[in-house]
Amino acid sequence: MNILIVGSGAREHAIAAALHRSPQQPHIFCCGTSLNPGISQMTYHYWTGDITDVAAVTKMAKEWQIDLAIIGPEAPLEKGLADALWQNAIPTVGPKRALAQIETSKSFARDLMQKYDIPGLPRYRKFQELNGIPAFLAELGEGQYVVKANGLMGGKGVKVAGDHLHSFAEAISYCKEILAQGQEVVIEEKLVGQEFSFMCFSDGKQAVPMPIVQDHKRAFVNDEGPNTGGMGSYSDANHSLPFLSADDVQQAWQINEAVLRALSTELQDKYIGILYGSFIATHQGVYVIEFNARLGDPEALNVLTILTSDFVTICQAMVTGSLSADQVTFANQATVCKYAVPQGYPDDPIKDAVICIEAVKNKSRLYLASVNAVDGKIHATGSRTAAYVGVADSISMAEEIAEVEVRGIDGPLFHRDDIGTDRLIQRRIDDMRRLRGA
Ligand code: AMP
Ligand code: GLY
């Protein structure tokens, strides 16, 4: 069987690894933006180019006689790559363009939740002009709002009062900036609590959950510094997180299921692929931060590393509408993922430095990300470079493994040595307990 992976980061490396260990031994093909040697060592053919060029990727898929495609990142989903592949009779994991609006349009996602009365919706309003914005900001209150650009902004379109915006004047000036780019503005109530990622597989009728993961967006130790694509993440052996109650998990799961039902009713189409709910546990229950229409990066690394069932079977079941919970099993182990990123990342990263991974002992849990192989050397291209996933019986033990191994990635890089440590996990538990007033 010929399987195409679209994308060439660490998430796609983890997808390739999960396919590669399948007893079905598929032939793996990749369309990526750069030559990731972690992926290319497992592929039959590897094309590099613009993966948002729908016609070019579709042409490669036809030429390679692809039987099943998996789209990693959101940008090709927004361009309608899934639509084009299905039109060419290539079953695809990843929703069609209209369904992917659950990620690509923040106002679509909020409006859908409102229309279908789905719990976890913060107070929000959308604006196409400045008119009404000052009044809504005042209604939410100083320090109590979040301003978002409606469309995909590579994780840089959201500014939070208190963190990035320090007055109504600053908020209004950011709104003007968004409107000047021709984008809609979404303003919503600021939620306070612990964020978590809850992803599931969907075949259009049935959804099956993956272990819950917590990502770390901030660049530096103790959650300081600018937002990034995600510096690392952890999951626990019981597939929940130490600060979540069973009720939190249940609420989040019901929201994911309700959104999938709402999407298929609203758009009269099947959502085939991954739905990733980004949630926040607050003192008033679980709320939705946003939805993504794909696997998270780094979250995919945590979950796919401990997937014990056949990923090829899961993908086939998603595209044929025959997904069931018994096809999806994960080891009851904790994982800690740490990303090594270029010095200066995210604002002013060193580009094109050569890195060396020789000192990493267990390379099967090392995932290469923004790298390019040139003449047998690995160049770090400027975004997140490589991630290591420690797996053990406890988060604490998994952290120790990840910390030792990530240090083995040699180059002008840095990582967060606090992700997954007992101290940081305890802080999350204490913060949540304080919020709940216990
Ligand atoms: P997003 O791009 O929507 O994932 O937002 C980026 C980050 O902004 C999230 O990970 C949250 O930390 C923060 N954020 C987004 N929406 C809210 C909200 N309503 N309340 C508090 N923080 C938010
Ligand atoms: N972990 C954040 C994301 O994948 O969007």
Side-chain angles (χ1 to χ4, degrees), residues 11 74 103 155 197 199 215-217 228-233 276 278 290 292 294-300 384:
R11 165 183 46 212
E74 61 277 21
E103 167 163 9
S197 306
M199 306 183 288
D215 186 14
H216 297 70
K217 290 244 154 111
T228 69
M231 293 294 291
S233 45
Y276 156 176
S278 172
E290 63 167 355
N292 294 313
R294 53 175 172 81
L295 285 163
D297 186 351
E299 291 91 332
R384 293 176 293 174

Side-chain angles (χ1 to χ4, degrees), residues 218-224 415-418 423:
R218 297 301 196 97
F220 309 134
V221 164
N222 287 328
D223 297 321
E224 280 169 19
H415 71 279
R416 275 184 59 169
D417 62 11
D418 60 337
R423 198 178 58 82

Side-chain angles (χ1 to χ4, degrees), residues 85-159:
L85 292 170
W86 279 107
Q87 271 157 23
N88 283 279
I90 299 171
T92 300
V93 175
K96 292 181 194 156
R97 189 210 306 248
L99 293 155
Q101 285 182 96
I102 195 67
E103 167 163 9
T104 61
S105 168
K106 295 188 191 297
S107 64
F108 173 88
R110 291 310 195 197
D111 290 349
L112 188 86
M113 288 183 73
Q114 186 166 62
K115 180 170 175 186
Y116 289 86
D117 209 11
I118 296 170
L121 177 65
R123 286 164 69 193
Y124 82 102
R125 271 185 63 188
K126 52 184 183 173
F127 300 91
Q128 270 126 17
E129 51 175 29
L130 209 54
N131 198 5
I133 288 182
F136 189 56
L137 288 173
E139 193 183 317
L140 291 174
E142 188 59 274
Q144 302 301 316
Y145 51 82
V146 177
V147 179
K148 303 183 172 187
N150 184 39
L152 288 183
M153 299 282 283
K156 294 186 180 76
V158 176
K159 291 198 179 181

Side-chain angles (χ1 to χ4, degrees), residues 211-322:
I212 297 178
V213 181
Q214 188 174 45
D215 186 14
H216 297 70
K217 290 244 154 111
R218 297 301 196 97
F220 309 134
V221 164
N222 287 328
D223 297 321
E224 280 169 19
N227 273 326
T228 69
M231 293 294 291
S233 45
Y234 64 90
S235 65
D236 207 350
N238 65 359
H239 302 163
S240 179
L241 292 171
F243 54 82
L244 291 179
S245 67
D247 191 45
D248 294 329
V249 175
Q250 185 64 13
Q251 283 180 43
W253 180 243
Q254 283 172 354
I255 292 171
N256 273 345
E257 288 198 309
V259 164
L260 285 167
R261 277 195 304 273
L263 276 168
S264 79
T265 308
E266 181 69 15
L267 296 167
Q268 291 297 304
D269 201 357
K270 286 187 186 150
Y271 189 99
I272 295 172
I274 283 92
L275 180 72
Y276 156 176
S278 172
F279 295 101
I280 185 165
T282 76
H283 76 289
Q284 291 173 309
V286 169
Y287 281 80
V288 173
I289 294 283
E290 63 167 355
F291 290 102
N292 294 313
R294 53 175 172 81
L295 285 163
D297 186 351
E299 291 91 332
L301 283 53
N302 299 80
V303 301
L304 291 178
T305 301
I306 56 163
L307 179 71
T308 46
S309 54
D310 181 3
F311 191 47
V312 174
T313 301
I314 296 172
C315 292
Q316 285 172 318
M318 277 191 276
V319 298
T320 54
S322 55

